[in-house]
Amino acid sequence: AKAIILEFSKPKHFPIKQIYNLYFHKILPGIGNKISKDSAAYTYLPESVNAFPEGIAFEQILKKLDFKVHKTIPQFFGIASIYVAEK
């Protein structure tokens, strides 16, 4: 079985990392609060992205589940990653 997984990642390089952090931690929650009137409505996304293993850590989890990781492809300057694996 082939698995193709698209997940958010955390960019590592200047200035994308700084722009991403500003948007994800300040601007997005503010917009979400104005739209939904719920201050927690858009704070879960940055928290879940920060908690999710990425890169080699996620590849190791896939390997422990008996997947062979074929490749990891960073997308959008590292904001997301595509993991391609097969069991």
Side-chain angles (χ1 to χ4, degrees):
K2 193 171 205 175
I4 301 174
I5 302 161
L6 173 64
E7 268 300 332
F8 279 108
S9 302
K10 295 176 285 294
K12 313 263 186 292
H13 301 290
F14 178 85
I16 302 301
K17 177 181 177 179
Q18 287 73 14
I19 294 168
Y20 170 88
N21 284 331
L22 174 67
Y23 174 76
F24 221 47
H25 295 284
K26 302 292 183 194
I27 297 171
L28 181 63
I31 292 170
N33 186 28
K34 287 185 188 284
I35 292 171
S36 69
K37 306 295 184 219
D38 179 1
S39 61
Y42 286 80
T43 58
Y44 77 93
L45 187 57
E47 291 169 2
S48 68
V49 170
N50 284 332
F52 192 85
E54 63 175 303
I56 293 171
F58 188 61
E59 289 176 4
Q60 290 173 340
I61 291 169
L62 290 171
K63 289 175 185 175
K64 285 182 185 176
L65 296 170
D66 296 325
F67 279 91
K68 178 182 178 191
V69 178
H70 291 292
K71 57 186 162 184
T72 298
I73 311 161
Q75 301 292 303
F76 310 110
F77 305 102
I79 293 172
S81 294
I82 297 173
Y83 300 91
V84 180
E86 194 165 1
K87 201 169 202 181

